[in-house]
Amino acid sequence: MSDSKPEKHRNWEEGGPERLYVLTSGRSAPSEAAPLDMVTLIVTRHRPTASMQPEQAAILRICDYPLSIAEISAYVHLPVSVVTVLLADLLESGHAEARAPIPTASLPDVELLEAVMHGLQNL
């Protein structure tokens, strides 16, 4: 007869799929009501609450000024797909606000800015 020892529990892997599954409650994409991409800017509207997941609270703490979803993902060390699901929940609850990035067409012309800069330097 062989003695069967109980299996040791595996350590919780920070980037493991089980942890990511728990963070998103099994969801793999945000709701259709919150279309988000990597350049969408996020800004905090309300402070974190005690009942929030630590990852959501961390997102709210770093978004005092607008950050893109790609930047948030890098700061909290989570995949963009997980961050978008967490952000969708924060947007729904009103804790955060999404802002579209400034379109390139509405930015001032580079040549005009250079002409103004040279004009000021000549004064």
Side-chain angles (χ1 to χ4, degrees), residues 5 7-9 20 28 34 39 42-44 47 61 64-65 67 89 93 96 99 105-106 108 111-112 121:
K5 295 180 182 178
E7 288 185 29
K8 288 187 175 184
H9 294 284
L20 300 178
S28 62
V39 295
I42 304 295
V43 66
T44 299
R47 304 306 309 158
R61 281 193 295 275
D64 282 339
Y65 55 91
L67 288 175
D89 293 342
S93 68
R99 299 179 181 172
S106 67
E111 292 175 8
L112 174 64
Q121 289 173 344

Side-chain angles (χ1 to χ4, degrees), residues 44-78:
T44 299
R45 302 304 320 138
H46 301 288
R47 304 306 309 158
T49 62
S51 63
M52 283 185 174
Q53 294 178 354
E55 293 78 9
Q56 287 180 318
I59 290 170
L60 290 177
R61 281 193 295 275
I62 65 172
C63 289
D64 282 339
Y65 55 91
L67 288 175
S68 71
I69 292 177
E71 290 171 308
I72 296 167
S73 174
Y75 286 134
V76 296
H77 305 288
L78 290 171

Side-chain angles (χ1 to χ4, degrees), residues 29-36 84 87-89 91-92 98:
S31 65
E32 293 298 319
L36 302 170
T84 56
L87 282 170
D89 293 342
L91 293 170
E92 263 184 48

Side-chain angles (χ1 to χ4, degrees), residues 94-110:
H95 282 87
E97 178 183 326
R99 299 179 181 172
I102 299 170
T104 306
S106 67
L107 295 175
D109 183 31
V110 175

